[in-house]
Amino acid sequence: MGKIKTVRLLDIATKAGVSVSAVSKTMNGSDEIPEATREKILSIAREMDYHPNFSARSLRLGRSRIIGVIIPNNDFSYNHVLSGISKALEETDYTPIFISTKDDPKYEKSAIKKLLSIPVDGILSVPVSMDSYKNVFVPVVFMSRYPYRNPRTGEPVRTNDNYVVTDDYEGQRIATTELIKECGGNVYIFLGSENTRTVAGIKEHIRLSGYKKALEEHDIPFDEGHVYWNTTSLEKACENTQMLLKHVEKSFGLMVANDYFSIGVISTLQKNGYSIPDDVKIIGFDDLEMASYISPSLTTIHCARYRLGSCATQHLVSIIQSKNTGEAIQTIFQPKFVKRSSM
Amino acid sequence: MGKIKTVRLLDIATKAGVSVSAVSKTMNGSDEIPEATREKILSIAREMDYHPNFSARSLRLGRSRIIGVIIPNNDFSYNHVLSGISKALEETDYTPIFISTKDDPKYEKSAIKKLLSIPVDGILSVPVSMDSYKNVFVPVVFMSRYPYRNPRTGEPVRTNDNYVVTDDYEGQRIATTELIKECGGNVYIFLGSENTRTVAGIKEHIRLSGYKKALEEHDIPFDEGHVYWNTTSLEKACENTQMLLKHVEKSFGLMVANDYFSIGVISTLQKNGYSIPDDVKIIGFDDLEMASYISPSLTTIHCARYRLGSCATQHLVSIIQSKNTGEAIQTIFQPKFVKRSSM
DNA sequence: CTGAAAGCGCTAACAC
DNA sequence: GTGTTAGCGCTTTCAG
């Protein structure tokens, strides 16, 4: 496999009998070059299958037309967000490069360094720790997770970062309200990471405050024992369910951290002879495609994840291109209650 | 937001009172530089938070330490493969950049161009059309799909490409054999794309020939009507199930294209009053994590998708680094039958 | 052992 | 209008 010589501007220029800059200008759509020369150059370029060298251009321009996308993991929770990003970028000349952090600040820091050394023109991130972004000097738009509310009180927080999130607080409040209508105060909740030092944990606490808010609105006292933390895998979801069953009456309402984990919860409940929704009412979170296909079909909170990705992308591109003045762009999507048969 | 000046080798050199080349050599671990100077340079570099400029280095070296990863979509079927890739690359200095093709040759071609113009040092690909790779002059390792067998006969095919695949033929043969044991000739199969002009379609035909092989081994004549094509989404899976139910006895065996679509199939069967596995025996394909959590838990063919990703990655890196002599690296993983309660 | 200098492919300022 | 040229940050050869 002999090394194939790549086609350069110079090669085209030589063949066309013009200078490199004429070719460069043509390639970049400058109108300085007369139509005839233009045509000739373009046709030769096509014929030689020319592709500009990204590195050379990036080096020269100080920008790369690459967008860094930081996600916690490759697990399927962010697929729709990623699709939204890809779709939105298709109409631009930006290309995404994805890096995963395993929800670990160390990986996140190194991911950021890698991206900046490319250098990417901007970053879309589902963050692990806000600290990692202290010295990032390219535009960043946070997605899906962000301390947009005070995790204790649920009050909106004013910040100066760009973000696009779903209002998890409201989602949880609405879901809890629905369950209260059915089960009174007998409403349990499975949440993810309890660690408030991570953005993921803060998100869970924001959700908890939405839950508390709903209780408060119905004059139901909050019971710490109704909250099961660290539902962070299918397996944990099943364990938490087993644990819950030791402490609970036959009939109750349960909010699960997300739709995926609901599969484990439902399976565990059914194995233990509970019937859904007769004994237990269940509400998930996300509205995955499969939610309407499992049995019983899953009542859930719909989050616009695809739109979340495309919206964040549009924001980022507009910030990059307009050299935005520092006015933060913040979008909060309102979630929607979707009733199916698990409640 | 004032543009932050990036730290260059020159900046470090100036501060350390040495030349750029001394710094460069130090950074690249050359042993030409005496320990004392080395230390000093490294400490200054750390202090100034130096990161090499990727573009400059790539331009100079003609390689980028970036691996392009081409996948058909962002849907969750390739998560484990991607995890395997990320994990395997972690121990190297290569960074992956993911591009999706939507299973469309047009997108695939443009994805390849983009990658080559970076230029990436190698490509990992779940291909759409083999033609797209004709003029690719960097090492490529194909994953998961490849015409490794003749789609008509199921016979192994000799080629000169690098690939890592699961032996779908064998998987399908084994699964069919198991169903035949239970249901005799009453075994149906849901497959994906029928189009043999795409690699995805060829894969499905290879699977079909595994199915036929099993029938043949049990002297059961092949019946075209037992094959339902184009099971390419949850929705289609449900439609195919509805269609199937019009033509079938109460009791039969059914092989579904993959685990995910099995969710739709099972739900449709249950809605129509069929009991699993009493009336219908079902086998999926993939062995997703959720397979053991849905009810009934899903009997399936286990594919080592994580290992597939990491194995392909190791191959690619070794090819890149050793300037491999052209001896193709081809790995075929044997799938495994996993019995649960849907059969 | 050290540093000066060339040049990777490209763009844009500037001269013709 | 068109071409010449400097230089982006880095590596590496080669002379000192």
Side-chain angles (χ1 to χ4, degrees), chain B residues 8-9 21 24 50 53 56-57 60:
Chain B
R8 298 161 305 163
L9 287 186
S21 50
S24 171
Y50 169 76
N53 180 308
R57 175 184 269 167
R60 178 64 234 247

Side-chain angles (χ1 to χ4, degrees), chain B residues 250-294:
Chain B
K250 180 83 182 173
S251 170
F252 57 95
L254 173 57
M255 223 146 357
V256 183
N258 63 47
D259 287 358
Y260 186 57
F261 297 161
S262 301
I263 293 178
V265 171
I266 290 175
S267 136
T268 306
L269 287 171
Q270 288 175 336
K271 264 181 212 143
N272 284 276
Y274 287 77
S275 152
I276 303 163
D278 297 334
D279 302 330
V280 186
K281 322 272 184 224
I282 295 209
I283 301 187
F285 212 105
D286 280 350
D287 197 18
L288 297 186
E289 184 192 25
M290 66 173 106
S292 48
Y293 291 95
I294 61 178

